[in-house]
Amino acid sequence: AEAHVELGFLDKARGDRARALAHFEEAARSLAEPRLHLELTKLYEHHERDVAAALAWFERGTGESAASAERR
């Protein structure tokens, strides 16, 4: 699962948001990490334009401070 996390961040940095999303989703199947939830929230909101999916990931907890979450 950690390999998928690292590959997700690499793909995101390269601009391949679709592959990053796939890697983060795969990692989230076995890891309950707020940083993954945050990345999935952002990718669904901004790349996929799927507000319902973004909100679902956001509600699982993103590890953001209350102030940062309020801005979102």
Side-chain angles (χ1 to χ4, degrees):
E2 276 298 320
H4 283 289
V5 174
E6 296 307 316
L7 289 170
F9 281 113
L10 285 172
D11 286 333
K12 184 179 172 190
R14 291 182 185 135
D16 191 343
R17 305 289 193 257
R19 282 185 59 169
L21 181 65
H23 282 298
F24 289 141
E25 284 182 329
E26 184 63 32
R29 290 177 199 210
S30 59
L31 298 173
E33 287 194 30
R35 69 180 177 149
L36 288 176
H37 301 168
L38 178 60
E39 292 301 325
L40 286 161
T41 296
K42 292 191 292 187
L43 285 168
Y44 273 113
E45 181 181 6
H46 301 291
H47 174 66
E48 295 292 313
R49 305 276 192 234
D50 185 341
V51 176
L55 185 58
W57 283 107
F58 177 78
E59 289 175 344
R60 293 181 188 189
T62 61
E64 290 182 296
S65 68
S68 292
E70 278 295 314
R71 286 194 306 263
R72 189 168 296 287

